[in-house]
Amino acid sequence: MLRDAIRSLAEAKIAPYAAAVDEESRFPQEALDALVANDLHAVHVPEEYGGTGADALATVIVIEEVARVCASSSLIPAVNKLGSLPVILSGSEDLKKRYMTPLAKGDAMFSYALSEPDAGSDAAGMKTKAVRDGDHYVLDGVKRWITNAGVSEYYTVMAVTDPEKRSKGISAFVVEKSDEGVSFGAPEKKLGIKGSPTREVYLDNVRIPADRMIGAEGTGFATAMKTLDHTRITIAAQALGIAQGALDYAKGYVKERKQFGKPIADFQGIQFMLADMAMKIEAARALTYQAAAASERGDKNLTFQGAAAKCFASDVAMEVTVDAVQLLGGYGYTRDYPVERMMRDAKITQIYEGTNQVQRIVMARNLP
Ligand SMILES: Cc1cc2nc3c(=O)[nH]c(=O)nc-3n(C[C@H](O)[C@H](O)[C@H](O)COP(=O)(O)OP(=O)(O)OC[C@H]3O[C@@H](n4cnc5c(N)ncnc54)[C@H](O)[C@@H]3O)c2cc1C
């Protein structure tokens, strides 16, 4: 029922704008409005803070169905979870009330600011600093590649509070867009997910009350990594949705397109490609849903499962979208058809929330 409801909403209110959002590299406002109107913009927020309290699997289904028609738009529910999960996992009751309520209402979005220009895969090598000054912390530094930066009101920012301790000297904070000293870089010019703004976040002597720290001092990196254990599954869901969207489009096309006097779907070479695409998608779906269940019950193998689902599903999304372009021939290579956009969008799922090389490092360290 949930899938049917989201699919009809996505097809009616999000899909019609997906090509224009990509072409114009503009924020999918229509998608945000439709998701907020239907309480689907941040479904993971617990009921006690005014949210719908969807479990990890339901959240995955929402993201998957939105990504099936528009990957950029699927970053609304996905990044709202990524940005706010540190507060849900480790924040004080006061922080949860203060920040989850506007998120649940749709009055504010949340971003996650871990990466920096010189600290990507090695996120613990970050340089952004937070220095205690009485009842406040003063933050200074540059965060890079921040999804939905500028659009989001709230940011979970990881910063160094004790440079001697490396990852154990990193703390997490909630920073607001309106805090003095916060500004944003120009939107990155990207290959795909062009509707999702990716910008630098500049923190120039940003003075925030000490109670905006998420958890205890020095626990920010652990919270950031624990968050990714849960949210990599949402990237797997995004990849799965993109792949399903490409397969669904190609499936229809091969029945219509005629060559050698018959629909190309009649050729066994085409049928084998479709069979392989569908098989890989089903395997990715099984792994993603299993990881979502592990996220929900706090399974001891969650770290492995989240990394495996993200890595596998994103590789499947890349393979399937490349094949979908192939199935449409020359037409697939043009922007008159959606599969080339899906192919460009799929690529990011192999890179963010840890590249697929990093996922393999994570899996190797956490073999079940
Ligand atoms: C569109 C977009 C949106 C993003 N959104 C966010 C966001 O909202 N918040 C946020 O904090 N970050 C975000 N990121 C950052 C993203 O998570 C990083 O780009 C990613 O972690 C890789 O870091 P890097 O780009 O610095 O690459 P690097 O770390 O420089 O990696 C370069 C290459 O080296 C490989 N490599 C690095 N170390 C190893 C190793 N030990 N073994 C083998 N290979 C290795 C990598 O896999 C990669 O192929 C986003 C990035 C993009 C492009």
Side-chain angles (χ1 to χ4, degrees), residues 112-115 120-121 144-147 190 193 198 348 351-355 357 361:
Y112 177 90
L114 176 69
S115 307
S121 300
R144 194 177 171 95
W145 311 116
I146 308 311
T147 299
K190 307 194 297 290
I193 54 159
T198 314
I348 192 59
I351 296 173
Y352 58 16
E353 294 209 23
T355 64
Q357 287 97 324
I361 297 173

Side-chain angles (χ1 to χ4, degrees), residues 76-89:
I76 295 170
V79 174
N80 274 339
K81 179 164 180 175
L82 173 67
S84 64
L85 201 60
V87 177
I88 297 176
L89 290 174

